[in-house]
Amino acid sequence: MTIRVAIVDDDELIRVGLRVIVGAQPGLEVVGEAADGAEVMTMVARTRPDVVLMDVRMPAIDGITATRRLLAVSGEPPKVLVITTFENDDYVYEALRAGASGFVLKRARPAEVVEAIRVVAGGESLVFPAALRRLVRAHGPAGGDAAGGAAERLRRARLTEREAEVLRLMAAGLSNAEIASALVVGAETIKTHVGNVLGKLGARDRTQAVIVAYESGFVSPAG
């Protein structure tokens, strides 16, 4: 199955570079491009990508707003993979909180960019979990409304003991297959548990569930 990719960045050189990297890979296809967040909705509706590579800092409408608008539409919106210059940019954390499924650095090796796209499209593991933990440590709430809201979401979820264990392992960066191995159960069983966790937390994907786990204090991003 071919993964359809769209690229959103105001820097033409970045768009060209990403187009070359993605287009050279078997099973990946660039189906659309946009130079600003204002163009995203129209471009996505026309090209129907599976994954959108989204810059966060753009002049008219930034990637955070574009991500929020894109994921608010009904149906099955694409996954959003943020591309950024700075790993600890607070814009990146806000984009993740808005619904992005992961992030990758613009200086990353081509193989890392491709792997991030495949991971996001598959949805069965986190993109660069150690980098996500560092980002949460740098920008996640140390208290206040955000932490309180996450704690309330977790309380209302009423996760079973096994679901809580699965969430902890998700936050540690384990894939579905790795969780299944750690708990000595079948992969389909873990897929069901992950689906239950996402549903109970109201999370779009495992990245959003893990952010709730961090912000609520359920697990520590300190590792």
Side-chain angles (χ1 to χ4, degrees), residues 135-182:
L135 192 66
V136 175
R137 284 201 301 271
H139 300 288
D145 292 343
E152 178 63 13
R153 283 179 70 181
L154 190 63
R155 186 188 69 79
R156 289 179 178 272
R158 298 181 182 275
L159 300 180
T160 65
E161 184 176 345
R162 177 47 61 94
E163 289 165 353
E165 192 172 15
V166 168
L167 179 56
R168 288 191 184 94
L169 294 174
M170 288 165 58
L174 274 66
S175 67
N176 285 3
E178 290 167 335
I179 295 173
S181 178

Side-chain angles (χ1 to χ4, degrees), residues 2-140:
T2 298
I3 300 171
R4 297 167 60 83
V5 180
I7 300 168
V8 182
D9 198 297
D10 62 320
D11 187 327
E12 185 176 2
L13 285 177
I14 295 293
R15 293 200 310 276
V16 169
L18 289 171
R19 186 194 316 141
V20 170
I21 290 170
V22 175
Q25 298 300 313
L28 301 183
E29 178 187 5
V30 177
V31 295
E33 295 182 27
D36 190 83
E39 305 169 18
V40 168
M41 297 297 290
T42 300
M43 182 269 290
V44 166
R46 184 181 71 253
T47 61
R48 302 181 65 81
D50 301 304
V51 176
V52 175
L53 294 176
M54 181 82 76
D55 188 18
V56 285
R57 293 180 178 269
M58 293 180 285
I61 294 180
D62 63 31
I64 301 169
T65 302
T67 296
R68 191 174 290 117
R69 290 180 180 178
L70 180 59
L71 300 183
V73 300
S74 59
E76 285 291 330
K79 301 291 183 67
V80 174
L81 178 63
V82 168
I83 50 174
T84 179
T85 303
F86 305 107
E87 181 175 340
N88 285 329
D89 192 337
D90 57 350
Y91 272 61
V92 176
Y93 188 67
E94 288 305 312
L96 293 175
R97 296 188 84 239
S101 297
F103 69 98
V104 64
L105 296 177
K106 292 182 179 181
R107 66 174 181 273
R109 298 190 304 273
E112 291 177 319
V113 175
V114 171
E115 177 62 16
I117 292 170
R118 296 192 191 280
V119 168
V120 163
E124 293 199 351
S125 59
L126 291 174
V127 178
F128 308 132
L132 176 59
R133 284 194 292 273
R134 289 193 295 270
L135 192 66
V136 175
R137 284 201 301 271
H139 300 288

